[in-house]
């Protein structure tokens, strides 16, 4: 079996309302999505997606995905998509770094592997646990009352995990955290996500000001070095998100005891093949995991839901349904959907979802053997 053709599609995915991240420093209204279709010589089709969460969130952007695929295509065409680690190696030799551009190719290979072996991706990854994954809300930053209103909206739809975005004005952050925690229900889990916007000083002040609450802070500061610096100065639980890109980052996190949780975003770490290694290191060291898409449609959410559902429930903290924040659905009725705040993958072979090509329009690029 060989990869014969790669087709690349681009569409904008509008958000249902503007999104403000970390004290309003990032504001965006739509996502630049790339969909990738891999076709084999025996007519199997796999789908991938790469949708950065705006272009100011991570060193990843929509046009970069497509430029990366243009560079990678020749290294991938002719490969056997079932030999995913060979495809991974070919991509890493062809283009060091640029994990976010490799992720959709990796995703499409897993889709094909699942289809030809008659297994869901979760089963192909080692085995799916029965229960689906709690979906974390993504609470855009605002005043304490605005943020609580957003939590209540998600709560009414069954969500029990909330990722509230803080960062910026630390006095306001303290009142946000205090207000949300005082109104948290006993069955709810609240993550305060600074998206690396605090300085070391600000992080220490906020994280030590509310010692009785038992809350978790995600990516309070910019880098792993910053986290290592503040770590001995606070007792608050830490989740690492944007500073975790590679297996080497993960081994440093565990060897230096830098976090109680990690957030594995599939596009950021280069796809499922690399993400499963990070998962394994986390589990081997008792570190709990969020597994999420970096952003995007139901395809990206479903990919994340597959990996999430391979994690024992004790170690699985949540996923995300970015699809619920969009006004376009590229695969109506398919894939993992947020039902009562839970994403569950089905038994369908492969990814279990393919976009409606009429909605994607004409490919912006094709590469063929
Ligand atoms: Mg985060």
């Amino acid at each position: 079996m060989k990869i014969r053709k790669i087709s690349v599609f681009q569409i904008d995915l509008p958000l249902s309302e503007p999104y403000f991240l970390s004290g309003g420093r990032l504001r965006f209204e739509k996502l630049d999505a790339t969909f990738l279709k891999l076709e084999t010589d025996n007519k199997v089709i796999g789908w991938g997606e790469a949708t950065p969460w705006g272009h100011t969130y991570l060193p990843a952007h929509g046009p970069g995905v497509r430029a990366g695929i243009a560079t990678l295509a020749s290294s991938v065409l002719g490969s056997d998509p079932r030999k995913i680690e060979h495809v991974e190696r070919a991509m890493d030799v062809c283009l060091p770094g640029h994990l976010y551009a490799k992720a959709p190719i990796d995703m499409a290979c897993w889709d094909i592997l699942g289809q030809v072996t008659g297994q869901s991706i979760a089963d192909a990854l080692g085995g799916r646990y029965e229960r689906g994954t709690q979906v974390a809300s993504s609470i855009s930053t605002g005043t304490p009352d605005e943020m609580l209103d957003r939590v209540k909206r998600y709560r009414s739809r069954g969500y029990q995990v909330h990722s509230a975005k803080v960062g910026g004005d630390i006095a306001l952050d303290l009142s946000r955290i205090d207000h949300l925690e005082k109104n948290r229900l006993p069955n709810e889990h609240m993550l305060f996500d600074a998206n690396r916007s605090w300085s070391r000083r600000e992080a220490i002040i906020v994280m030590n000001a509310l010692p009785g609450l038992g809350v978790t802070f995600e990516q309070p500061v910019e880098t792993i070095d910053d986290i290592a610096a503040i770590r001995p100065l606070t007792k608050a639980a830490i989740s690492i998100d944007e500073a975790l890109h590679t297996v080497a980052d993960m081994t440093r996190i565990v060897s230096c005891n830098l976090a109680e949780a990690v957030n594995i975003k599939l596009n950021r770490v280069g796809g499922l093949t690399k993400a499963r290694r990070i998962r394994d290191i986390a589990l081997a060291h008792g570190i709990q995991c969020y597994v999420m898409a970096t952003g995007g449609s139901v395809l990206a959410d479903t990919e994340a839901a597959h990996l999430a559902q391979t994690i024992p429930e004790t170690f699985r903290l949540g996923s995300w349904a970015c699809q619920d924040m969009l006004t376009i659905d590229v695969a109506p009725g398919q894939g993992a959907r947020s039902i009562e705040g839970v994403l569950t993958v089905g038994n369908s072979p492969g990814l279990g979802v393919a976009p409606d090509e009429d909605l994607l329009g004409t490919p912006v690029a094709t590469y063929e053997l």
Side-chain angles (χ1 to χ4, degrees):
M1 178 184 279
K2 287 182 182 171
I3 297 170
R4 184 186 70 77
K5 184 176 181 184
I6 302 170
S7 305
V8 180
F9 303 83
Q10 190 280 327
I11 61 168
D12 285 340
L13 299 174
L15 295 169
S16 51
E17 55 187 64
Y19 192 91
F20 300 91
L21 189 65
S22 301
R25 77 191 166 107
L26 307 175
R27 178 187 195 274
F28 37 90
E29 297 175 0
K30 63 185 181 185
L31 306 178
D32 178 342
T34 299
F35 292 89
L36 178 140
K37 180 184 179 185
L38 278 192
E39 295 174 65
T40 69
D41 55 355
N42 59 345
K43 297 190 167 34
V44 182
I45 291 172
W47 282 96
E49 176 183 356
T51 305
W53 185 231
H55 63 268
T56 50
Y57 170 57
L58 285 172
H61 67 135
V65 173
R66 297 181 289 279
I69 293 168
T71 301
L72 291 163
S74 62
S75 71
V76 171
L77 287 167
S79 301
D80 184 336
R82 298 167 301 180
K83 296 182 177 175
I84 292 176
E85 293 188 358
H86 292 201
V87 176
E88 178 198 23
R89 173 75 182 154
M91 290 196 288
D92 285 344
V93 169
C94 174
L95 181 66
H98 299 274
L99 298 171
Y100 69 105
K102 297 168 181 170
I105 295 172
D106 179 81
M107 177 177 172
C109 288
W110 278 99
D111 188 13
I112 290 171
L113 176 72
Q115 290 178 54
V116 299
T117 58
Q119 304 177 93
S120 68
I121 287 178
D123 284 332
L125 281 166
R128 178 171 66 105
Y129 288 91
E130 202 52 41
R131 284 170 64 142
T133 303
Q134 295 268 357
V135 184
S137 69
S138 183
I139 305 298
S140 174
T141 196
T143 67
D145 281 332
E146 285 169 350
M147 293 181 77
L148 182 59
D149 284 345
R150 290 173 191 143
V151 168
K152 285 177 177 171
R153 265 191 274 156
Y154 279 103
R155 185 180 286 163
S156 70
R157 291 157 48 195
Y159 283 64
Q160 295 178 25
V161 183
H162 303 284
S163 175
K165 307 305 173 187
V166 292
D169 180 332
I170 58 172
L172 188 54
D173 283 337
L174 287 168
S175 57
R176 288 170 175 139
I177 294 166
D178 188 55
H179 192 53
L180 292 179
E181 270 299 300
K182 281 187 174 140
N183 288 282
R184 179 170 60 83
L185 300 180
N187 63 346
E188 286 180 325
H189 165 70
M190 192 76 73
L191 183 69
F192 291 100
D193 187 355
N195 288 116
R196 67 192 194 272
S197 65
W198 288 325
S199 65
R200 296 181 186 186
R201 181 187 69 84
E202 291 168 325
I204 291 303
I205 290 171
V206 177
M207 294 167 79
N208 289 341
L210 304 161
L213 296 175
V215 303
T216 300
F217 292 93
E218 187 161 277
Q219 196 70 43
V221 282
E222 183 81 32
T223 64
I224 291 188
D225 283 340
D226 292 327
I227 290 171
I230 66 165
R231 177 71 163 166
L233 306 176
T234 175
K235 290 183 176 160
I238 292 177
S239 170
I240 296 182
D241 182 352
E242 292 100 314
L244 169 58
H245 296 266
T246 65
V247 167
D249 293 333
M250 190 65 218
T251 54
R252 182 171 177 209
I253 289 167
V254 299
S255 63
C256 298
N257 186 30
L258 298 181
E260 284 67 40
V262 289
N263 193 335
I264 304 170
K265 299 243 177 87
L266 286 170
N267 184 261
R268 187 188 64 233
V269 304
L272 289 161
T273 305
K274 295 179 190 299
R276 67 171 168 172
R277 299 187 190 114
I278 294 172
R279 170 203 65 183
D280 292 343
I281 296 169
L283 294 182
H285 293 83
I287 291 177
Q288 293 178 301
C289 302
Y290 298 90
V291 180
M292 299 183 183
T294 309
S297 78
V298 64
L299 273 77
D301 289 338
T302 302
E303 180 194 28
H306 278 289
L307 182 66
Q309 224 168 304
T310 67
I311 295 174
E313 285 181 49
T314 333
F315 290 96
R316 200 190 324 156
L317 288 174
S319 193
W320 183 34
C322 184
Q323 59 186 281
D324 289 349
M325 303 170 76
L326 306 174
T327 60
I328 291 177
D329 186 350
V330 298
Q334 300 178 56
R337 300 287 171 170
S338 172
I339 298 171
E340 287 297 306
V342 175
L343 277 185
T344 308
V345 293
N347 274 322
S348 306
L351 186 65
V353 50
D356 178 344
E357 281 190 56
D358 289 341
L359 294 174
L360 300 185
T362 309
V364 295
T366 56
Y367 309 93
E368 283 188 74
L369 268 185

